[in-house]
């Protein structure tokens, strides 16, 4: 997923909403971009294209993305709660601008929350990749959006990744 390519796919209304979000918080543009680019790079290196499916690697990507957005924005925002709120705002906006059907959307929102929770727990950034890889082993497969609430502290996914390099 090339970040600029995704932005260019937005229609005028979506681009306006995204632009307005950063207009009022211009200092968060680059930290958010860095976190996004870093997340995609890590996931491409670890999983190839597999993280673009609704599998465990996608759950890893969403959690990592939220963790890294909060981490990258913390120096600008100064407070952990504000960094977490920003990560939620921007990733919720992503879900709104790139709408998925109910089940993948519920999965993404849940895994986003997992990443923010890990940031809140002060997992050191140098340990986050290993922590998420361990969590992938205990991830739960779901087939209904309502099931995410049964797995509060676990990553969730829809499809089993047949070619995963999880271990």
């Amino acid at each position: 997923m090339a970040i600029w390519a995704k932005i260019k796919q937005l229609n005028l209304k979506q681009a306006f909403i995204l632009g307005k979000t950063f207009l009022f918080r211009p200092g968060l543009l680059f930290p958010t971009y860095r976190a996004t680019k870093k997340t995609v790079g890590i996931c491409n290196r670890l999983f190839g294209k597999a993280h673009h499916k609704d599998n465990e690697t996608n759950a890893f990507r969403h959690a990592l993305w939220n963790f890294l957005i909060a981490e990258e924005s913390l120096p600008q925002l100064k407070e952990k709660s504000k960094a977490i709120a920003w990560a939620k705002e921007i990733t919720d906006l992503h879900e709104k601008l790139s709408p998925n059907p109910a089940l993948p959307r519920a999965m993404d929102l849940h895994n986003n929350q997992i990443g923010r929770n890990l940031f809140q727990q002060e997992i050191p950034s140098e340990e986050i990749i290993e922590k998420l890889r361990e969590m992938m082993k205990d991830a739960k497969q779901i087939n209904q959006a309502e099931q995410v609430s049964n797995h509060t502290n676990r990553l969730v996914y829809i499809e089993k990744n047949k070619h995963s390099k999880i271990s």
Side-chain angles (χ1 to χ4, degrees):
M1 164 180 72
I3 299 164
W4 187 244
K6 280 284 200 192
I7 291 171
K8 290 185 346 185
Q9 290 176 351
L10 299 176
N11 65 36
L12 187 58
K13 181 180 177 185
Q14 292 169 323
F16 178 77
I17 292 168
L18 182 62
K20 188 174 104 177
T21 300
F22 284 108
L23 179 66
F24 295 110
R25 297 177 199 87
L28 295 175
L29 177 63
F30 290 114
T32 303
Y33 176 79
R34 277 192 309 270
T36 302
K37 187 171 178 165
K38 188 174 181 179
T39 299
V40 172
I42 289 167
C43 290
N44 284 344
R45 180 175 45 83
L46 293 175
F47 311 118
K49 295 182 183 196
H51 67 95
H52 296 290
K53 308 276 188 206
D54 290 331
N55 57 37
E56 304 98 315
T57 64
N58 179 276
F60 175 103
R61 186 184 80 218
H62 277 268
L64 179 64
W65 187 36
N66 276 260
F67 182 96
L68 292 177
I69 290 172
E71 181 179 69
E72 289 282 341
S73 64
L74 183 59
Q76 175 80 19
L77 294 170
K78 309 284 190 245
E79 294 176 29
K80 186 174 272 201
S81 62
K82 289 181 180 179
I84 291 168
W86 171 250
K88 178 175 179 13
E89 181 179 345
I90 201 67
T91 58
D92 284 359
L93 180 61
H94 167 76
E95 293 302 323
K96 180 179 177 185
L97 297 179
S98 316
N100 277 328
L103 182 56
R105 183 175 193 277
M107 176 192 71
D108 290 349
L109 291 170
H110 173 83
N111 293 323
N112 290 347
Q113 182 65 50
I114 295 291
R116 294 190 301 269
N117 290 350
L118 291 171
F119 182 76
Q120 178 69 41
Q121 294 170 22
E122 300 185 13
I123 303 292
S125 59
E126 58 274 0
E127 295 176 16
I128 192 60
I129 292 171
E130 189 54 39
K131 173 70 174 171
L132 288 171
R133 287 178 72 105
E134 284 299 313
M135 290 181 76
M136 286 172 66
K137 294 175 185 177
D138 194 35
K140 295 298 177 191
Q141 189 170 15
I142 60 169
N143 55 27
Q144 295 177 10
E146 299 77 28
Q147 291 176 310
V148 297
S149 62
N150 298 335
H151 307 293
T152 309
N153 297 313
R154 291 185 172 152
L155 296 171
V156 298
Y157 64 94
I158 300 167
E159 304 171 9
K160 189 73 176 158
N161 185 5
K162 298 173 187 143
H163 308 290
S164 177
K165 300 185 244 177
I166 295 172
S167 330

